[in-house]
Short mmCIF file of all heavy atoms in Angstrom, two decimals:
data_model
loop_
_atom_site.label_atom_id
_atom_site.label_comp_id
_atom_site.label_asym_id
_atom_site.label_seq_id
_atom_site.Cartn_x
_atom_site.Cartn_y
_atom_site.Cartn_z
N THR A 1 129.90 78.41 182.20
CA THR A 1 129.23 77.87 183.37
C THR A 1 130.03 76.67 183.88
O THR A 1 130.33 75.75 183.11
CB THR A 1 127.79 77.45 183.04
OG1 THR A 1 127.06 78.60 182.62
CG2 THR A 1 127.11 76.86 184.27
N VAL A 2 130.37 76.71 185.14
CA VAL A 2 131.28 75.72 185.74
C VAL A 2 130.58 74.38 185.89
O VAL A 2 129.48 74.29 186.45
CB VAL A 2 131.79 76.24 187.10
CG1 VAL A 2 132.63 75.18 187.80
CG2 VAL A 2 132.59 77.52 186.89
N THR A 3 131.26 73.32 185.41
CA THR A 3 130.72 71.97 185.49
C THR A 3 131.79 71.02 186.06
O THR A 3 132.87 71.45 186.48
CB THR A 3 130.29 71.48 184.10
OG1 THR A 3 131.41 71.52 183.21
CG2 THR A 3 129.19 72.37 183.52
N TYR A 4 131.47 69.74 186.02
CA TYR A 4 132.30 68.69 186.62
C TYR A 4 133.78 68.79 186.24
O TYR A 4 134.66 68.71 187.10
CB TYR A 4 131.75 67.33 186.20
CG TYR A 4 132.69 66.18 186.41
CD1 TYR A 4 132.81 65.55 187.65
CD2 TYR A 4 133.48 65.70 185.36
CE1 TYR A 4 133.68 64.49 187.84
CE2 TYR A 4 134.35 64.65 185.53
CZ TYR A 4 134.45 64.05 186.78
OH TYR A 4 135.31 63.00 186.95
N SER A 5 134.07 68.96 184.95
CA SER A 5 135.47 68.91 184.49
C SER A 5 136.29 70.11 184.95
O SER A 5 137.52 70.09 184.82
CB SER A 5 135.52 68.81 182.97
OG SER A 5 134.92 69.93 182.35
N ASP A 6 135.64 71.14 185.48
CA ASP A 6 136.37 72.33 185.95
C ASP A 6 136.79 72.23 187.41
O ASP A 6 137.65 72.99 187.86
CB ASP A 6 135.49 73.58 185.81
CG ASP A 6 135.04 73.82 184.38
OD1 ASP A 6 135.88 73.73 183.48
OD2 ASP A 6 133.84 74.11 184.18
N ILE A 7 136.16 71.33 188.18
CA ILE A 7 136.30 71.32 189.63
C ILE A 7 137.41 70.38 190.07
O ILE A 7 137.53 69.26 189.55
CB ILE A 7 134.97 70.88 190.29
CG1 ILE A 7 133.85 71.84 189.87
CG2 ILE A 7 135.08 70.87 191.81
CD1 ILE A 7 134.05 73.26 190.27
N ASP A 8 138.22 70.82 191.04
CA ASP A 8 139.29 69.96 191.54
C ASP A 8 138.96 69.46 192.95
O ASP A 8 137.86 69.64 193.45
CB ASP A 8 140.64 70.68 191.49
CG ASP A 8 140.72 71.91 192.40
OD1 ASP A 8 139.88 72.04 193.32
OD2 ASP A 8 141.63 72.74 192.21
N MET A 9 139.94 68.84 193.59
CA MET A 9 139.70 68.19 194.87
C MET A 9 139.45 69.19 196.00
O MET A 9 139.02 68.79 197.09
CB MET A 9 140.87 67.28 195.23
CG MET A 9 142.21 67.98 195.38
SD MET A 9 143.59 66.81 195.49
CE MET A 9 143.23 65.99 197.04
N ASN A 10 139.69 70.46 195.75
CA ASN A 10 139.35 71.48 196.75
C ASN A 10 137.93 72.01 196.56
O ASN A 10 137.54 72.97 197.21
CB ASN A 10 140.36 72.63 196.68
CG ASN A 10 141.74 72.21 197.14
OD1 ASN A 10 141.87 71.42 198.07
ND2 ASN A 10 142.77 72.72 196.49
N HIS A 11 137.19 71.40 195.62
CA HIS A 11 135.77 71.70 195.41
C HIS A 11 135.52 73.07 194.78
O HIS A 11 134.43 73.63 194.92
CB HIS A 11 134.97 71.56 196.72
CG HIS A 11 135.11 70.21 197.36
ND1 HIS A 11 134.47 69.08 196.90
CD2 HIS A 11 135.86 69.81 198.41
CE1 HIS A 11 134.80 68.04 197.64
NE2 HIS A 11 135.66 68.45 198.57
N HIS A 12 136.52 73.62 194.10
CA HIS A 12 136.30 74.83 193.32
C HIS A 12 137.04 74.70 192.00
O HIS A 12 137.73 73.70 191.76
CB HIS A 12 136.74 76.09 194.09
CG HIS A 12 138.17 76.08 194.52
ND1 HIS A 12 138.55 76.21 195.84
CD2 HIS A 12 139.32 75.95 193.83
CE1 HIS A 12 139.87 76.17 195.93
NE2 HIS A 12 140.35 76.02 194.72
N VAL A 13 136.89 75.68 191.12
CA VAL A 13 137.52 75.62 189.81
C VAL A 13 139.04 75.49 189.96
O VAL A 13 139.67 76.27 190.69
CB VAL A 13 137.16 76.86 188.96
CG1 VAL A 13 137.96 76.88 187.66
CG2 VAL A 13 135.67 76.88 188.65
N ASN A 14 139.61 74.51 189.26
CA ASN A 14 141.06 74.36 189.28
C ASN A 14 141.71 75.59 188.66
O ASN A 14 141.23 76.13 187.65
CB ASN A 14 141.46 73.10 188.51
CG ASN A 14 142.95 72.87 188.55
OD1 ASN A 14 143.68 73.32 187.68
ND2 ASN A 14 143.41 72.16 189.56
N ASN A 15 142.81 76.04 189.25
CA ASN A 15 143.41 77.31 188.83
C ASN A 15 143.85 77.31 187.37
O ASN A 15 143.93 78.37 186.75
CB ASN A 15 144.57 77.69 189.76
CG ASN A 15 145.66 76.66 189.75
OD1 ASN A 15 146.43 76.57 188.82
ND2 ASN A 15 145.72 75.85 190.81
N THR A 16 144.16 76.14 186.79
CA THR A 16 144.59 76.11 185.39
C THR A 16 143.43 76.37 184.43
O THR A 16 143.64 76.81 183.30
CB THR A 16 145.23 74.77 185.04
OG1 THR A 16 144.26 73.73 185.14
CG2 THR A 16 146.39 74.46 185.97
N ARG A 17 142.21 76.10 184.87
CA ARG A 17 141.06 76.18 183.96
C ARG A 17 140.74 77.63 183.56
O ARG A 17 140.20 77.87 182.48
CB ARG A 17 139.83 75.55 184.60
CG ARG A 17 139.95 74.06 184.80
CD ARG A 17 139.90 73.30 183.47
NE ARG A 17 138.58 73.41 182.87
CZ ARG A 17 138.37 73.68 181.59
NH1 ARG A 17 139.40 73.92 180.77
NH2 ARG A 17 137.14 73.74 181.11
N TYR A 18 141.11 78.59 184.41
CA TYR A 18 140.82 79.97 184.06
C TYR A 18 141.55 80.38 182.78
O TYR A 18 141.04 81.18 181.99
CB TYR A 18 141.22 80.90 185.21
CG TYR A 18 140.46 80.65 186.49
CD1 TYR A 18 141.10 80.15 187.61
CD2 TYR A 18 139.09 80.89 186.57
CE1 TYR A 18 140.41 79.91 188.79
CE2 TYR A 18 138.39 80.66 187.74
CZ TYR A 18 139.06 80.17 188.85
OH TYR A 18 138.36 79.93 190.01
N LEU A 19 142.74 79.85 182.57
CA LEU A 19 143.47 80.13 181.33
C LEU A 19 142.72 79.59 180.13
O LEU A 19 142.66 80.23 179.08
CB LEU A 19 144.87 79.53 181.40
CG LEU A 19 145.87 80.27 182.27
CD1 LEU A 19 147.06 79.37 182.60
CD2 LEU A 19 146.36 81.54 181.57
N ASP A 20 142.16 78.38 180.27
CA ASP A 20 141.37 77.83 179.17
C ASP A 20 140.13 78.67 178.90
O ASP A 20 139.77 78.91 177.74
CB ASP A 20 140.95 76.39 179.49
CG ASP A 20 142.12 75.41 179.44
OD1 ASP A 20 143.05 75.65 178.64
OD2 ASP A 20 142.09 74.43 180.18
N PHE A 21 139.46 79.13 179.98
CA PHE A 21 138.29 79.99 179.78
C PHE A 21 138.68 81.21 178.93
O PHE A 21 137.96 81.59 177.99
CB PHE A 21 137.73 80.50 181.12
CG PHE A 21 137.25 79.45 182.08
CD1 PHE A 21 136.95 79.78 183.39
CD2 PHE A 21 137.08 78.13 181.68
CE1 PHE A 21 136.49 78.83 184.29
CE2 PHE A 21 136.63 77.16 182.58
CZ PHE A 21 136.33 77.52 183.88
N ALA A 22 139.81 81.83 179.29
CA ALA A 22 140.23 83.05 178.60
C ALA A 22 140.63 82.77 177.16
O ALA A 22 140.24 83.51 176.24
CB ALA A 22 141.38 83.70 179.36
N CYS A 23 141.41 81.73 176.94
CA CYS A 23 141.86 81.42 175.58
C CYS A 23 140.69 81.04 174.68
O CYS A 23 140.65 81.40 173.49
CB CYS A 23 142.90 80.30 175.61
SG CYS A 23 144.47 80.78 176.36
N ASP A 24 139.71 80.31 175.23
CA ASP A 24 138.51 79.99 174.46
C ASP A 24 137.76 81.26 174.08
O ASP A 24 137.34 81.43 172.93
CB ASP A 24 137.59 79.08 175.27
CG ASP A 24 138.13 77.67 175.43
OD1 ASP A 24 139.08 77.31 174.71
OD2 ASP A 24 137.59 76.93 176.28
N ALA A 25 137.58 82.15 175.04
CA ALA A 25 136.81 83.37 174.79
C ALA A 25 137.51 84.28 173.78
O ALA A 25 136.84 84.97 173.00
CB ALA A 25 136.56 84.12 176.10
N LEU A 26 138.84 84.27 173.78
CA LEU A 26 139.60 85.10 172.83
C LEU A 26 139.67 84.47 171.45
O LEU A 26 140.16 85.10 170.51
CB LEU A 26 141.01 85.33 173.35
CG LEU A 26 141.15 86.29 174.53
CD1 LEU A 26 142.56 86.24 175.10
CD2 LEU A 26 140.78 87.72 174.13
N ALA A 27 139.20 83.21 171.33
CA ALA A 27 139.20 82.51 170.04
C ALA A 27 140.58 82.53 169.39
O ALA A 27 140.74 82.92 168.23
CB ALA A 27 138.14 83.10 169.11
N LEU A 28 141.59 82.11 170.14
CA LEU A 28 142.95 82.15 169.63
C LEU A 28 143.11 81.31 168.36
O LEU A 28 143.93 81.62 167.49
CB LEU A 28 143.93 81.65 170.70
CG LEU A 28 144.01 82.48 171.99
CD1 LEU A 28 145.15 81.98 172.86
CD2 LEU A 28 144.17 83.96 171.70
N HIS A 29 142.31 80.24 168.23
CA HIS A 29 142.41 79.41 167.03
C HIS A 29 141.94 80.16 165.79
O HIS A 29 142.49 79.97 164.70
CB HIS A 29 141.59 78.13 167.21
CG HIS A 29 140.16 78.36 167.55
ND1 HIS A 29 139.77 78.87 168.77
CD2 HIS A 29 139.02 78.18 166.83
CE1 HIS A 29 138.45 78.97 168.79
NE2 HIS A 29 137.98 78.58 167.64
N ASP A 30 140.94 81.03 165.94
CA ASP A 30 140.48 81.83 164.79
C ASP A 30 141.45 82.96 164.48
O ASP A 30 141.65 83.31 163.31
CB ASP A 30 139.10 82.42 165.09
CG ASP A 30 138.01 81.35 165.13
OD1 ASP A 30 138.19 80.30 164.50
OD2 ASP A 30 136.99 81.58 165.79
N ASN A 31 142.04 83.54 165.51
CA ASN A 31 142.92 84.69 165.32
C ASN A 31 144.37 84.29 165.06
O ASN A 31 145.22 85.16 164.87
CB ASN A 31 142.87 85.58 166.57
CG ASN A 31 141.49 86.16 166.78
OD1 ASN A 31 140.78 86.46 165.83
ND2 ASN A 31 141.09 86.31 168.04
#
C-alpha cells in the first residue's frame, strides 16, 4: 500500500520504488 515514502515530487510512486516492491515480495534475503 503506497504511503509517504513512496511518493515523489510528481505526486506518484517514484519509479525506483517498484524495484523495491518486487525484491521485497520475492524475499531475496531469504532466498
